Each structure stands twice: as C-alpha cells, then as structure tokens.
Amino acid sequence: WSFNEATSTQATDFSGNGNHGTLNTFTSPPSASSGWTSNGQRGGALYFDGATDDVTVGDMNNATDGIKNMTISFWIKADTLSDYQNLVTKFNGTNGWVVQTGGASSCGNTNDMAFFPDVQASGDCVHTNNDAHQVGVWEHWVMTFDGFIVDDQDSVDFYKNGIEITNEDQSA
C-alpha cells in the first residue's frame, strides 16, 4: 500500500493480491488532522488523527497467518508522541501481533518503537531503547522478526532510515 491515492476511501494493494484497505473514520473531505494529504514522503499520504482513524484490510490469512519470519516497513511523520499508538497490526480478536509506539513503563518509552509478537501473551515485547522516534521528521522504519519466540533481543531488529537501532527484550 503506497497510501498516495489522494482520494477515495480505499488504499490500493499494488501487490496484485487484492488485499485493498478500507479507510475508516477519516474526515471527508480531508481536514488538517484527518484524511488524504499531498505532503507525503513520496507523493501523497494519509494523515491519521491519532484517535480513531485506521485502515482495515480484513482477514489476510493468505498473507500473514503461519508466517514465522517477516519484515514490516513504513514511513511515519509524527506531529506528537503518545503511548501505545498502533502503527501496523494483525489481530483477529483472539490473537495476532502489533507494531506500535512504546508505552511509558510496560514496553519502552513513548518515543520508542515496540513490537508485540503475540498480543495475547503476558506483555512480551521488544522495543528500541534509545528514544529513537522523533516528532516532525519523516522516518523510514523497518522491523524484522525471525520467529514467534521472543527469548532474546536478536529475534527482532529495528532499522530507522537504514541504520540498525538497538533494542531490548521486555518479557512480563
């Protein structure tokens, strides 16, 4: 998903798999705090309000279920930093994973990136440990995951703008 369509209530899946996203609760027409914007890193972008805006893709069983290794990448430019802002998730109400901003005490600081490999687990997460996320600048983040068992920090790696960021395993 490039998120640079600039119009519509759909985020187009350009992979050819037909996993198009549906924009939910964005203002229409776009406003300064929600909707399509032309101020993206590579053309257009979506401006999320930080509260209710999201893009759902539905159940992508064909794309992510059973995968033990994965890479997730995204561009982000935050206006503010706050705890537990979901950025990319795969959750069906019972199980799944989430990439989000850190949360004050349970998984890094507000300006850390965090990965929960199993949202039903008792708080296991891996997070950056150096306040890596910044306000007001475009950042390209990549998170790699080498399996569903987070016993050490080496199973998850974070990269910001092509540079590996140190991380820390935090198990409950």
Side-chain angles (χ1 to χ4, degrees):
W1 303 275
S2 64
F3 296 126
N4 66 0
E5 289 86 340
T7 61
S8 173
T9 58
Q10 176 176 291
T12 304
D13 173 11
F14 291 103
S15 73
N17 293 321
N19 294 312
H20 305 297
T22 301
L23 280 60
N24 299 302
T25 71
F26 287 89
T27 59
S28 183
S31 71
S33 63
S34 176
W36 293 106
T37 177
S38 60
N39 296 321
Q41 176 63 15
R42 298 178 46 152
L46 279 173
Y47 192 101
F48 292 83
D49 67 9
T52 60
D53 293 348
D54 68 14
V55 177
T56 57
V57 180
D59 189 4
M60 291 179 41
N61 285 331
N62 61 333
T64 59
D65 285 357
I67 292 177
K68 300 292 184 197
N69 304 314
M70 66 178 147
T71 300
I72 297 169
S73 68
F74 55 91
W75 284 97
I76 185 171
K77 181 181 179 185
D79 289 337
T80 60
L81 297 175
S82 58
D83 294 342
Y84 310 114
Q85 292 294 304
N86 290 345
L87 302 171
V88 182
T89 65
K90 165 72 170 154
F91 184 68
N92 65 9
T94 304
N95 55 45
W97 50 262
V98 62
V99 177
Q100 65 180 198
T101 57
S105 60
S106 70
C107 191
N109 295 317
T110 300
N111 50 345
D112 285 329
M113 288 291 173
F115 175 65
F116 291 83
D118 181 355
V119 295
Q120 293 300 315
S122 57
D124 288 346
C125 77
V126 177
H127 61 87
T128 59
N129 61 4
N130 55 2
D131 299 333
H133 184 40
Q134 299 175 335
V135 171
V137 291
W138 279 105
E139 300 172 337
H140 183 251
W141 282 90
V142 175
M143 190 270 324
T144 63
F145 182 42
D146 294 334
F148 285 146
I149 300 172
V150 182
D151 288 332
D152 69 330
Q153 64 191 36
D154 295 329
S155 62
V156 176
D157 293 307
F158 294 94
Y159 298 85
K160 181 177 116 177
N161 300 326
I163 299 170
E164 185 171 8
I165 303 295
T166 58
N167 61 48
E168 179 177 323
D169 178 28
Q170 185 164 326
S171 299

